[in-house]
Amino acid sequence: MKENLILSGIEKRYGDAVALQATDLEIKAGEFVTLLGPSGSGKTTILMSIAGFVPPSAGRILLDGQDVTGLPPERRNFGVVFQGYALFPHLTVNDNVGFPLRARGIRGAEAQRRIDTVLEMAQLGAFARRLPRQLSGGQQQRVALARALVFEPELLLLDEPLSALDRALRKDFQTEFKAIHRKVGTTFIYVTHDQEEALTMSDRIVILDRGRILQSAPPSELYERPATEFVARFLGKSNFLRGRITRVVEGGAELRCPALTSRVSIGRQDVPAIGASAIAALRPEKIKLHPSAVPADACSAKGQVVDITYLGSVIDVTLALADGTTLAATVPAGSIALAEGDTLVAAWASDAAILVEPDAERGA
Amino acid sequence: MSAAAVASPAAPRGERLYWALLVLPCLFLGLFYVVPVINVLVMSVTVPRVGLSNYADLAANPAVRRVLWTTIRIGALTTAITLLLGYIVAYALVHTSPRQRQTLLAIVVASFWISVLIRAFAWVAILQSAGLVNSVLMGLGLIDSPLQLVRNEVGVMIGMVHYMLPYAILPLYANMSGIDRSLVPAARALGATPAQAFRWVFLPMSLPGLIGAGIIVLIFSLGFYITPAILGGGKTIMVAEYISVQISETLRWGLAAMLATTLLVSVLLLVFWLSRFMDVEAALRK
């Protein structure tokens, strides 16, 4: 188990349309990597190129130094869990799971032993003689997973495997996928458009938009230090402060916006020029609300409460600033007396806002 | 008063109307179809005298046995060839682009519009010694003397396969359209070669379509009359043509009735036997 997967400049065009711009990605053996992006971002194209169903227009795919770009899917030895599961309706659970072994010429007692082991792991022992249509959605999902793992593949590719399940079941599976990943140690490459799935399970998240990778980092880094406006928006909620750089200081800068002035940390960007226009992302939960007094060494803005949403443990508050823009804050419930129309001071630490790359013009 | 109470006297009246509407067609069918069929069944054991002597001919009469054997052989071969060709066309229909599919389907359906008589004579023109096929082959120097393609079993089967193809293609196409398109890629991803993916996944899933198409084609093939009569040239005689000869020329109505009954019963048994597979398959798919 030391294979690592390298995508080197892979690209996919359909005529003039570019589904995937030249992309480099390295995935370490045993890693749980999630490709996260909206539809049309190229995440499924990457997955299907790795699986062997979509030949890249350019670039190479290397597995442990071996070029596998031209290999047909059946010679790659990767497990694939398809979006609709793609279980064989005419075969029992046992035979569905045994299918990859049959294709590899593994039969008889050895095959049955492996099938039983993986069915046990997927808690499907009691359903071995059933047909897929006799199972619930969650059970079908387990069969698809068991079938993709039974031949101990070098890589497991999962294409939005939870999209057909309800919310409670999705949460259970997130825990289960993580546990199975720990147990089998296989590299997981997981495609989803659900940020929660990506955050909870992955060692690393690769965020894609419009056919290119925007950022690739562990979940906490991605959340704390988003590289672009899109990443900050797509992963969690964020306020965006738009203004001009007025000062550059050690490790940060000063951003002057119409309604406020904030210290910002530079994050992953180049040190900005003074006078340049810039955008900073500020997470709502980094904002504290005060009746009036502001702690020293904090950035602040005065605003009027226009909306209060009670969410149990926390409260979402929307403040209207002097220039009409709004600022969203998430504060612990009960931390401050709130009423619509109140004027409050929002404050945040000097390193809480972080410069991000503005989105390119959409639809260009 | 509830709506149900108001509606209830109307319901039986509506039902009576349905039955009344059915009377005429039932009467028509009974008078002009069921009665004659029963008449044929009765005739097979009463003409020329009461008893099973007509049925003894099935074993004893060499001419009858030869005709039956020819019918079974041609019917089975036609079915096999039609299913094979039809399967290929249906497979192409399912996997091609929507635009090509429309064109192909139009071609398949268009052949329904041409009468069987015209098609049979067209095949005679194409297949005869001085016909298109032979003159092209001879022109290319591939053969020295014309091939005997018509007035024999080869000609009959060409004509029958051609006629039967749409009846095989359409049910097969309907069945294959229902097969989940992600299953074959899934099989490939799990390690199956294209041939294995076809054999282990696509073929078993298209089996209900094959059985359905097979039943239709076989039943039609056993009762073919015009095509073998024209393309067989009097040498290859199938049971329908033989029955016609017994009725209109040799006037052995008892023998003809017996053969008609035998054909009817065989087809019914065949359908009954095959329908048991069909039910199992249909149940599996639900």
Short mmCIF file of all heavy atoms in Angstrom, two decimals, chain B residues 116-128 131-133 149-150 155-156 158-163 227 230-231:
data_model
loop_
_atom_site.label_atom_id
_atom_site.label_comp_id
_atom_site.label_asym_id
_atom_site.label_seq_id
_atom_site.Cartn_x
_atom_site.Cartn_y
_atom_site.Cartn_z
N VAL B 116 -46.71 -8.16 -47.82
CA VAL B 116 -45.90 -9.37 -47.83
C VAL B 116 -45.78 -9.93 -49.24
O VAL B 116 -44.76 -10.48 -49.62
CB VAL B 116 -46.48 -10.40 -46.82
CG1 VAL B 116 -47.89 -10.79 -47.20
CG2 VAL B 116 -45.59 -11.61 -46.70
N LEU B 117 -46.83 -9.74 -50.04
CA LEU B 117 -46.84 -10.26 -51.40
C LEU B 117 -45.78 -9.56 -52.25
O LEU B 117 -44.98 -10.18 -52.94
CB LEU B 117 -48.23 -10.02 -52.00
CG LEU B 117 -48.62 -10.91 -53.17
CD1 LEU B 117 -48.66 -12.36 -52.75
CD2 LEU B 117 -49.99 -10.48 -53.70
N ILE B 118 -45.76 -8.21 -52.13
CA ILE B 118 -44.80 -7.43 -52.90
C ILE B 118 -43.39 -7.79 -52.49
O ILE B 118 -42.49 -7.96 -53.32
CB ILE B 118 -45.06 -5.92 -52.68
CG1 ILE B 118 -46.39 -5.55 -53.31
CG2 ILE B 118 -43.93 -5.08 -53.25
CD1 ILE B 118 -46.83 -4.13 -53.03
N ARG B 119 -43.20 -7.96 -51.18
CA ARG B 119 -41.86 -8.28 -50.71
C ARG B 119 -41.40 -9.64 -51.24
O ARG B 119 -40.25 -9.79 -51.64
CB ARG B 119 -41.86 -8.32 -49.18
CG ARG B 119 -41.97 -6.94 -48.60
CD ARG B 119 -41.34 -6.93 -47.26
NE ARG B 119 -42.29 -6.62 -46.22
CZ ARG B 119 -42.00 -6.73 -44.93
NH1 ARG B 119 -40.83 -7.19 -44.56
NH2 ARG B 119 -42.89 -6.39 -44.04
N ALA B 120 -42.31 -10.62 -51.25
CA ALA B 120 -41.94 -11.95 -51.72
C ALA B 120 -41.52 -11.89 -53.19
O ALA B 120 -40.49 -12.45 -53.57
CB ALA B 120 -43.10 -12.91 -51.53
N PHE B 121 -42.30 -11.16 -54.01
CA PHE B 121 -41.95 -11.08 -55.43
C PHE B 121 -40.66 -10.29 -55.63
O PHE B 121 -39.86 -10.61 -56.51
CB PHE B 121 -43.10 -10.47 -56.23
CG PHE B 121 -44.19 -11.47 -56.51
CD1 PHE B 121 -45.48 -11.29 -56.03
CD2 PHE B 121 -43.90 -12.64 -57.23
CE1 PHE B 121 -46.47 -12.22 -56.27
CE2 PHE B 121 -44.90 -13.57 -57.48
CZ PHE B 121 -46.19 -13.37 -57.00
N ALA B 122 -40.45 -9.28 -54.80
CA ALA B 122 -39.21 -8.50 -54.89
C ALA B 122 -38.01 -9.40 -54.63
O ALA B 122 -37.00 -9.33 -55.32
CB ALA B 122 -39.24 -7.34 -53.90
N TRP B 123 -38.17 -10.28 -53.63
CA TRP B 123 -37.06 -11.20 -53.34
C TRP B 123 -36.81 -12.16 -54.49
O TRP B 123 -35.66 -12.48 -54.81
CB TRP B 123 -37.32 -11.98 -52.05
CG TRP B 123 -36.93 -11.21 -50.82
CD1 TRP B 123 -37.75 -10.78 -49.83
CD2 TRP B 123 -35.62 -10.78 -50.47
NE1 TRP B 123 -37.04 -10.10 -48.88
CE2 TRP B 123 -35.73 -10.08 -49.24
CE3 TRP B 123 -34.36 -10.89 -51.06
CZ2 TRP B 123 -34.63 -9.51 -48.60
CZ3 TRP B 123 -33.26 -10.32 -50.43
CH2 TRP B 123 -33.40 -9.64 -49.22
N VAL B 124 -37.90 -12.63 -55.15
CA VAL B 124 -37.72 -13.49 -56.32
C VAL B 124 -36.88 -12.76 -57.36
O VAL B 124 -35.91 -13.30 -57.90
CB VAL B 124 -39.09 -13.90 -56.91
CG1 VAL B 124 -38.89 -14.62 -58.25
CG2 VAL B 124 -39.85 -14.79 -55.94
N ALA B 125 -37.22 -11.49 -57.60
CA ALA B 125 -36.50 -10.72 -58.60
C ALA B 125 -35.03 -10.56 -58.22
O ALA B 125 -34.14 -10.63 -59.07
CB ALA B 125 -37.14 -9.34 -58.75
N ILE B 126 -34.78 -10.36 -56.95
CA ILE B 126 -33.40 -10.13 -56.51
C ILE B 126 -32.58 -11.42 -56.50
O ILE B 126 -31.41 -11.44 -56.87
CB ILE B 126 -33.39 -9.49 -55.09
CG1 ILE B 126 -33.96 -8.07 -55.15
CG2 ILE B 126 -31.99 -9.46 -54.50
CD1 ILE B 126 -34.23 -7.47 -53.79
N LEU B 127 -33.23 -12.52 -56.11
CA LEU B 127 -32.48 -13.75 -55.85
C LEU B 127 -32.43 -14.71 -57.03
O LEU B 127 -31.63 -15.65 -57.03
CB LEU B 127 -33.08 -14.47 -54.64
CG LEU B 127 -33.02 -13.73 -53.30
CD1 LEU B 127 -33.79 -14.50 -52.24
CD2 LEU B 127 -31.59 -13.50 -52.86
N GLN B 128 -33.28 -14.51 -58.05
CA GLN B 128 -33.33 -15.50 -59.13
C GLN B 128 -32.00 -15.54 -59.89
O GLN B 128 -31.13 -14.70 -59.71
CB GLN B 128 -34.48 -15.17 -60.07
CG GLN B 128 -34.26 -13.85 -60.80
CD GLN B 128 -35.44 -13.48 -61.64
OE1 GLN B 128 -36.02 -14.32 -62.30
NE2 GLN B 128 -35.83 -12.22 -61.59
N GLY B 131 -30.99 -12.55 -61.38
CA GLY B 131 -31.31 -11.43 -60.50
C GLY B 131 -30.09 -10.64 -60.09
O GLY B 131 -28.96 -10.92 -60.49
N LEU B 132 -30.34 -9.65 -59.23
CA LEU B 132 -29.31 -8.70 -58.83
C LEU B 132 -28.11 -9.37 -58.18
O LEU B 132 -26.96 -9.17 -58.56
CB LEU B 132 -29.93 -7.67 -57.87
CG LEU B 132 -29.03 -6.53 -57.44
CD1 LEU B 132 -28.75 -5.61 -58.62
CD2 LEU B 132 -29.65 -5.76 -56.29
N VAL B 133 -28.40 -10.23 -57.20
CA VAL B 133 -27.32 -10.84 -56.43
C VAL B 133 -26.41 -11.67 -57.33
O VAL B 133 -25.18 -11.50 -57.33
CB VAL B 133 -27.89 -11.71 -55.29
CG1 VAL B 133 -26.78 -12.46 -54.58
CG2 VAL B 133 -28.66 -10.86 -54.31
N LEU B 149 -30.67 -19.46 -55.21
CA LEU B 149 -31.04 -18.72 -54.00
C LEU B 149 -32.54 -18.68 -53.78
O LEU B 149 -33.01 -18.22 -52.75
CB LEU B 149 -30.52 -17.29 -54.09
CG LEU B 149 -28.99 -17.13 -54.11
CD1 LEU B 149 -28.61 -15.69 -54.35
CD2 LEU B 149 -28.38 -17.64 -52.82
N VAL B 150 -33.30 -19.16 -54.78
CA VAL B 150 -34.74 -19.05 -54.65
C VAL B 150 -35.36 -20.36 -55.14
O VAL B 150 -34.67 -21.18 -55.75
CB VAL B 150 -35.22 -17.81 -55.43
CG1 VAL B 150 -35.26 -18.06 -56.92
CG2 VAL B 150 -36.56 -17.33 -54.90
N GLY B 155 -34.19 -19.48 -50.10
CA GLY B 155 -35.04 -18.37 -50.50
C GLY B 155 -36.17 -18.12 -49.52
O GLY B 155 -36.45 -16.98 -49.13
N VAL B 156 -36.81 -19.22 -49.08
CA VAL B 156 -37.92 -19.09 -48.12
C VAL B 156 -37.43 -18.40 -46.85
O VAL B 156 -38.07 -17.48 -46.33
CB VAL B 156 -38.50 -20.48 -47.79
CG1 VAL B 156 -39.52 -20.36 -46.66
CG2 VAL B 156 -39.12 -21.10 -49.02
N ILE B 158 -34.76 -16.49 -46.40
CA ILE B 158 -34.40 -15.07 -46.61
C ILE B 158 -35.65 -14.21 -46.54
O ILE B 158 -35.71 -13.20 -45.82
CB ILE B 158 -33.68 -14.88 -47.97
CG1 ILE B 158 -32.29 -15.53 -47.92
CG2 ILE B 158 -33.55 -13.38 -48.30
CD1 ILE B 158 -31.55 -15.51 -49.25
N GLY B 159 -36.69 -14.64 -47.25
CA GLY B 159 -37.93 -13.89 -47.26
C GLY B 159 -38.57 -13.80 -45.89
O GLY B 159 -39.06 -12.74 -45.47
N MET B 160 -38.55 -14.92 -45.16
CA MET B 160 -39.20 -14.94 -43.84
C MET B 160 -38.42 -14.11 -42.82
O MET B 160 -39.02 -13.35 -42.04
CB MET B 160 -39.35 -16.39 -43.36
CG MET B 160 -40.53 -17.09 -44.01
SD MET B 160 -40.62 -18.86 -43.66
CE MET B 160 -40.82 -18.87 -41.90
N VAL B 161 -37.10 -14.24 -42.83
CA VAL B 161 -36.29 -13.47 -41.88
C VAL B 161 -36.52 -11.98 -42.13
O VAL B 161 -36.72 -11.20 -41.20
CB VAL B 161 -34.79 -13.81 -42.02
CG1 VAL B 161 -33.93 -12.79 -41.29
CG2 VAL B 161 -34.51 -15.21 -41.50
N HIS B 162 -36.55 -11.61 -43.39
CA HIS B 162 -36.75 -10.20 -43.74
C HIS B 162 -38.10 -9.72 -43.22
O HIS B 162 -38.21 -8.64 -42.64
CB HIS B 162 -36.68 -10.03 -45.26
CG HIS B 162 -36.94 -8.63 -45.70
ND1 HIS B 162 -37.93 -8.31 -46.60
CD2 HIS B 162 -36.36 -7.46 -45.36
CE1 HIS B 162 -37.94 -7.00 -46.79
NE2 HIS B 162 -36.99 -6.46 -46.05
N TYR B 163 -39.12 -10.55 -43.39
CA TYR B 163 -40.45 -10.15 -42.94
C TYR B 163 -40.51 -10.05 -41.42
O TYR B 163 -41.14 -9.16 -40.85
CB TYR B 163 -41.50 -11.14 -43.44
CG TYR B 163 -42.91 -10.70 -43.12
CD1 TYR B 163 -43.55 -9.76 -43.92
CD2 TYR B 163 -43.57 -11.19 -42.00
CE1 TYR B 163 -44.82 -9.31 -43.62
CE2 TYR B 163 -44.85 -10.75 -41.68
CZ TYR B 163 -45.47 -9.81 -42.50
OH TYR B 163 -46.72 -9.37 -42.20
N THR B 227 -45.16 -16.26 -48.26
CA THR B 227 -43.72 -16.20 -48.52
C THR B 227 -43.17 -17.56 -48.94
O THR B 227 -42.51 -17.66 -49.99
CB THR B 227 -42.98 -15.65 -47.29
OG1 THR B 227 -43.57 -14.41 -46.93
CG2 THR B 227 -41.52 -15.45 -47.59
N ILE B 230 -44.41 -18.57 -52.48
CA ILE B 230 -43.80 -17.89 -53.63
C ILE B 230 -42.31 -18.18 -53.74
O ILE B 230 -41.80 -18.55 -54.79
CB ILE B 230 -44.04 -16.37 -53.53
CG1 ILE B 230 -45.54 -16.08 -53.70
CG2 ILE B 230 -43.24 -15.62 -54.59
CD1 ILE B 230 -45.92 -14.66 -53.39
N LEU B 231 -41.60 -18.06 -52.61
CA LEU B 231 -40.14 -18.22 -52.66
C LEU B 231 -39.73 -19.69 -52.63
O LEU B 231 -38.60 -20.03 -52.99
CB LEU B 231 -39.48 -17.46 -51.50
CG LEU B 231 -39.50 -15.95 -51.66
CD1 LEU B 231 -39.23 -15.25 -50.34
CD2 LEU B 231 -38.49 -15.50 -52.70
#
